Amino acid sequence: GGAVLNAANEAAVAAFLDGQLGFHQIVPLCRTILEQHTFDAFPSLERLDQLDAWARREVAHWLSRRRASGSCRGSAARKMLPP
C-alpha cells in the first residue's frame, strides 16, 4: 500500500504543479488508485518497483481520460472521482 500511495501522490502532485489537476483532487485521486490495488503485506523489491510504476501509469491514464472528456479543474472533474 505504501509504495502505491507514494507513487500516486507524487504523480498527482506533479500533475497539480503542471496545472493538470486541482489541489482538491489530489487526495481523492490517490484514494481511487489505492483502492484499485490489492494489498501485499510482504512485497519483494521487484514487486514494489512494479507497484510504483503501475500507480504512476494509473494516474497518467486517469489524467488522459480526463483530458479526452474535456474536463477541467472545476466541478466536472470532481464528478469523475468517488466522494
Side-chain angles (χ1 to χ4, degrees):
V4 170
L5 179 58
N6 184 64
N9 185 60
E10 286 182 0
V13 169
F16 163 70
L17 293 173
D18 195 37
Q20 301 176 44
L21 189 69
F23 181 78
H24 64 280
Q25 295 172 299
I26 294 172
V27 170
L29 176 54
C30 290
R31 181 183 323 121
T32 298
I33 302 302
L34 190 58
E35 289 172 350
Q36 293 175 9
H37 125 72
T38 304
F39 179 73
D40 180 355
F42 302 102
S44 66
L45 184 55
E46 180 181 359
R47 182 68 179 140
L48 289 172
D49 284 339
Q50 292 168 350
L51 290 169
D52 182 280
W54 172 83
R56 292 171 193 276
R57 282 192 311 271
E58 288 297 306
V59 169
H61 180 69
W62 185 89
L63 290 168
S64 68
R65 283 193 325 252
R66 185 171 160 262
R67 280 191 298 269
S69 73
S71 296
C72 62
R73 287 187 185 192
S75 62
R78 277 193 298 272
K79 291 178 185 173
M80 295 179 68
L81 293 173

